[in-house]
């Protein structure tokens, strides 16, 4: 059970949060211009890394804000948390 | 058989309060302070159970939670009965009853014991090898396996006890109240850390509190005397909370731990009532100090499992702590000095010790000399090669060990005895440490795994950290405390410690016998009857991974998770395979450390508190009018309103007719409602719905379909434009929270530039839906001032009005195909609104209808229900709802996916209507649809999604999804059922009023 430092509320128990999958996948601005393969790449393809992974999380039972998290999936060590729109930290 | 083995009084046993209890139907006596195990041993009862596979007689082996054998059923036949309880952990009380498990008809005479003689035929993997063939016999095998397996009996009536959960936040959590835990907690609390100290036992002090080796001294006192003084001092320290009878079950990441606090299990039945039995503590600690101690290891030798064979440390505890002699002719078998401490403990109490058998060549420590001076015979370089005694040990045979420890030489000596204490060294209790995700490292010196890489803020102190001698413990504890608490001085700085000299060690995982291994039974896992032989067999059959060997032989798979024998299993594997133990890795210790009852896990969430439920403001009216309810998400919705003993079918038929013929009323308060405001609200709706929203006039309503990005229908509902920048969206009842979450996601992450604000107002409004040709007349009676003409208030429009002083929002929208008005008021006026409508509707026979009738009415119209007629694989095109998908809009959520080659296939499953050949036959929802009956394998074309008998059409109707169904209108298909095949015809899904004339009736 993680202790997650919501950038808006502070440290809260994991059960208040919802994981939202891989971060930094931008919705294409002009979907109609994309081939089926390109659209499928956006729609379906997600990384499943053993190690450092960039993820989206939502403080669903709190401020309802989305934010980003850098987490080592093998140790569950949370390396960084930053707001939507902010630049990911460089490793 | 029964004789009193209580020796010299102990301060932990209150001999003034005698307690009677029953074990296997027989009455015994013990004292307050006894465990079931100590009281039985005092009565000379060792035989307490039968082993799992061979049904061999087994006795009490330990004095703690690691007990593999003494597994009992508590209070059998009562509603408080509990299986799989360790007798070593049960504190006795007046009226306690317990019985052995895994034996039939009795522990003394056990039919399954025949397996013991069949054991050559029951090797490792026996179950896998034998019961797999022939496959059809599995059910018969399973019956016998389950029947003879000793898993105890669960209670058959509901649990009378109360359980509770509590959240605890602390600076420092100390687990284990032995010497290390007590000193750690004391120093943490003294330095203003909010500290919680927990221990699974009912008394503080761990092993040291009865440590009376005269050669070990702390500040010139015996460790026992010294520690008792420290425990006294704990009581007056601020910032420190102490919880005994509290066992930490799980240690998760980020220092989140679960512990079970046992509050009433040690009380008599009359004192248990109306009290919380157990409390699950959910602890979040800034720092965790693990002081979980070490578990003594047995030795693995031939027939090492007879009743009377115990851990040396347990014999010492029973003698020192409980004042009980475990036998009258005691022998110890050891590879280290600790058995000599146990022997002296017995000797000093006047209990006979016959001999000590030591696999080492010698030891020079003072305690060993003392034992020799006491006249106790020591056999150096000897090992036990066999034991005798079926239900109780009566002798051991010993022989001289070869120099390399792999064989025995010389002649056999037999020694008669009734109790044997085995001492195989100590294994640090690192179970919780590894659960936290931290990593172990094998230590060749002590032949055990030690904490190595910590993942959270934690330290391991005392013997669980690899320090076994008091001087090491105090020195290392002191430094670790200073480092982790960031303090400069502690109580421990000036403690003076004297200890007996270091002893020599000799470790042999599997001790040899004069018989070949195949003819011996050296048990490694007592509970699951796994022997060293089984482990070697597994290796011969090609198993290499420790996890595989464990599962194949069932070593470590019992309720004790192999706390005693896991290290030996690893050692035997390493020796046999010729690898280093450190390279094998260790098996995973999973939570819980000791079993938890379901009651503790669920806490107060039982019965009506099992799950949260939501009721509408009109709920009381539904109850008063005898509605039946159905669960929709967390909501309790009125399902139908039976009158005069109607069946559900009868009630629904009546309600459905009334709604179309005169007037019906539905409680629609549960529909999700999202208030949308902001200058970009219209643009936002354009992007989330498939149809166009920019041109919707203020005061108008529009139905919308929402897709996932994959093009599949996600939710639907009517949205009304209340003002220039203000909309109210309705969602399905079940989808409300997810829709809000999804919309927030897009707003925050993809379109942060949009000026839009979303607020859930589902609970703020109550909604009554008035429906039927007379609904306008009823509404007119309630709100006479409002112009309800089609010109002023047409279908798909909205008005604000007042019912008396109550402000309301009225939408003229319809989910039934009838003229309908949805009236929304502030939730607190919901019942008032409802009663007004009922009152005004009386002359029109207004009929309240529930969700079932609503579903029937909309099915007559072919309106879909998201989640019933769709399942996350249906596009709007599949649903024949092309009309709602805007061709002009450049983009909306899911649009691009509608043009993927897969979503454009002609043979996708499509929504159609089905009519049965016999109009009285109603299809089953979920029934499969085929076009050929005599095909094999038969090709499934789709399934029925909604099916009803329509009272308005006087025939059965159904909606279904059928592959390529759009082009099958008029075609005959079949619905094969168990009893018969039903002929159906594909039809247009709109069965009733295709031209929508009734909306303006
Ligand atoms: Zn937050």
């Amino acid at each position: 059970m993680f202790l997650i430092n919501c950038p808006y509320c502070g440290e809260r128990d994991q059960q208040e949060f919802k994981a939202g999958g891989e971060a930094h996948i931008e919705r294409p601005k002009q979907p109609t211009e994309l081939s089926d393969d390109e659209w499928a790449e956006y729609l379906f393809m997600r990384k499943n890394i053993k190690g450092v992974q960039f993820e989206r999380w939502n403080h669903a039972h709190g401020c309802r804000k989305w934010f980003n998290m850098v987490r080592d999936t093998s140790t569950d060590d949370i390396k960084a948390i930053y707001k939507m729109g902010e630049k990911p930290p460089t490793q | 058989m029964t004789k009193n083995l209580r020796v010299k009084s102990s301060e932990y046993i209150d001999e003034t309060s005698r307690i009677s209890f029953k074990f296997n139907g027989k009455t015994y006596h013990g004292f307050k302070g006894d465990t079931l195990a100590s009281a039985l041993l005092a009565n000379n009862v060792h035989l307490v159970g039968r082993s799992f596979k061979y049904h061999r007689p087994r006795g009490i082996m330990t004095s703690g939670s690691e007990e593999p054998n003494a597994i009992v059923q508590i209070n059998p036949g009562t509603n408080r009965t509990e299986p799989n309880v360790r007798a070593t952990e049960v504190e006795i009380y007046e009226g306690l009853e317990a019985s052995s498990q895994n034996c039939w008809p009795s522990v003394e005479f056990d039919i399954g014991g025949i397996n013991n003689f069949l054991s050559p035929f029951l090797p490792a993997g026996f179950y896998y090898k034998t019961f797999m063939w022939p496959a059809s016999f599995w059910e018969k095998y399973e019956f016998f396996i389950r029947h003879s397996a000793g898993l105890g009996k669960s209670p058959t009536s509901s649990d009378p006890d109360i359980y509770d959960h509590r959240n605890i936040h602390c600076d420092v959590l100390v687990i284990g109240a032995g010497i290390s835990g007590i000193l750690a907690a004391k120093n943490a609390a003294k330095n203003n850390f909010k500290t919680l100290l927990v221990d699974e036992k009912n008394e503080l002090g761990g092993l040291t509190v009865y440590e009376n080796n005269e050669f070990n001294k702390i500040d010139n006192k015996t460790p026992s005397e010294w520690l008792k003084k420290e425990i006294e001092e704990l009581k007056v320290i601020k910032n420190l909370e102490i919880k005994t009878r509290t066992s930490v079950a799980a240690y998760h990441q980020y220092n989140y731990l679960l512990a079970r606090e046992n509050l009433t299990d040690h009380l008599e039945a009359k004192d248990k009532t109306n009290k919380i039995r157990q409390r699950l503590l959910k602890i979040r600690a800034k720092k965790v100090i693990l002081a979980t101690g070490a578990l003594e290891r047995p030795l693995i030798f031939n027939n090492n499992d007879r009743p009377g064979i115990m851990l040396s440390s347990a014999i010492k505890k029973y003698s020192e702590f409980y004042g009980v002699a475990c036998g009258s002719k005691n022998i110890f078998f050891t590879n280290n000095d600790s058995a000599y401490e146990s022997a002296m403990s017995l000797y000093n109490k006047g209990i006979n010790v016959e001999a000590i058998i030591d696999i080492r060549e010698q030891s020079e420590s003072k305690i060993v000399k003392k034992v020799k001076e006491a006249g106790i015979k020591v056999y150096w370089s000897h090992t036990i090669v066999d034991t005798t005694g079926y239900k109780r040990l009566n002798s051991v045979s010993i022989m001289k060990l070869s120099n390399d420890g792999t064989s025995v030489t010389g002649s056999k000596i037999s020694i008669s005895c009734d109790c044997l204490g085995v001492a195989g060294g100590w294994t640090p209790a690192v179970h919780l440490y590894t659960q936290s995700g931290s990593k172990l490292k094998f230590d060749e010196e002590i032949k055990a795994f030690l904490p190595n890489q910590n993942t959270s803020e934690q330290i391991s102190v005392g013997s669980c950290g690899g320090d076994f001698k008091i001087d090491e413990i105090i020195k290392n504890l002191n430094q670790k405390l200073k480092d982790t608490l960031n303090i400069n001085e502690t109580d421990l700085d000036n403690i003076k410690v004297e200890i007996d000299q270091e002893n020599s060690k000799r470790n042999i995982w599997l001790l040899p016998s004069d018989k070949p291994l195949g003819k011996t039974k050296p048990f490694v896992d007592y509970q699951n009857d796994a022997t060293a032989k089984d482990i070697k067999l597994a290796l011969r059959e090609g198993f290499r991974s420790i996890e595989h060997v464990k599962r194949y032989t069932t070593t470590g798979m019992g309720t004790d998770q192999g706390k005693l024998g896991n290290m030996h299993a690893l050692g035997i594997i390493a020796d046999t395979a010729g690898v280093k133990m450190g390279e094998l890795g260790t098996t995973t210790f999973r939570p819980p450390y000791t079993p938890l009852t379901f009651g503790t896990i669920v806490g107060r969430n039982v019965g009506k508190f099992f799950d949260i439920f939501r009721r509408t403001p009109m709920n009381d009216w539904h109850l008063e009018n005898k509605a039946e309810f159905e669960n929709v998400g967390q909501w309790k919705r009125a399902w139908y309103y039976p009158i005069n003993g109607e069946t559900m079918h009868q009630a629904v038929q009546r309600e459905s007719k009334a709604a179309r013929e005169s007037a019906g009323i539905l409680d629609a308060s549960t529909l999700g409602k999202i208030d949308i405001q902001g200058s970009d609200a219209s643009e936002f709706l354009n992007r989330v719905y498939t149809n166009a929203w920019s041109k919707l006039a203020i005061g108008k309503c529009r139905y919308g379909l929402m897709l996932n990005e994959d093009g599949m229908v996600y939710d639907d509902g009517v949205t009304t434009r209340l003002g220039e920048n203000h909309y109210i969206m309705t969602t399905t009842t079940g989808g409300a929270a997810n829709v809000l979450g999804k919309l927030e996601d897009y707003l925050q992450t993809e379109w942060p530039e949009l000026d839009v604000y979303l607020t859930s107002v589902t609970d703020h409004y109550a909604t009554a839906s008035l429906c039927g040709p007379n609904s306008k007349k009823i509404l007119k009676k309630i709100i006479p001032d409002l112009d309800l003409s089609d010109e002023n208030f047409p279908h798909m429009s909205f008005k604000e009005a007042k019912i008396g002083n109550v402000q309301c929002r009225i939408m003229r929208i319809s989910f039934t195909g009838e003229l309908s008005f949805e009236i929304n008021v502030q939730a607190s006026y919901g019942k008032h609104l409802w009663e007004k409508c009922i009152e005004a509707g009386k002359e029109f026979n207004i009929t309240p209808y529930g969700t079932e009738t609503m579903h029937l009415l909309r099915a007559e119209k072919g309106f879909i229900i998201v989640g019933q007629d769709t399942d996350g694989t249906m596009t709007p095109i599949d649903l024949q709802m092309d009309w709602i998908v805007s061709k002009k809009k450049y983009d909306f959520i899911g649009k691009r996916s509608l043009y993927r080659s897969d979503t454009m296939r002609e043979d996708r499953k499509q929504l159609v209507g089905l009519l049965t050949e016999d109009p009285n036959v109603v299809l089953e929802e979920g029934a499969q649809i085929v076009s050929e009956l005599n095909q094999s394998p038969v090709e499934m074309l789709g399934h029925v999604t909604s099916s009803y008998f329509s009272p308005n059409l006087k025939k059965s109707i159904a909606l279904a999804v059928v592959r390529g169904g759009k082009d099958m209108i008029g075609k005959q298909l079949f619905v094969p059922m168990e009893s018969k095949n039903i002929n159906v015809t594909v039809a247009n899904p709109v069965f009733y009023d295709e031209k929508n004339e009734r909306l303006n009736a």
Side-chain angles (χ1 to χ4, degrees), chain A residues 6 8-9 59 63:
Chain A
C6 171
Y8 304 93
C9 309
H59 195 183
C63 62

Side-chain angles (χ1 to χ4, degrees), chain A residues 6-10 12 16-17 59 62-65 67:
Chain A
C6 171
Y8 304 93
C9 309
R12 294 288 190 279
E16 294 184 13
F17 297 84
H59 195 183
C63 62
R64 283 176 24 205
K65 284 284 194 183
F67 57 89

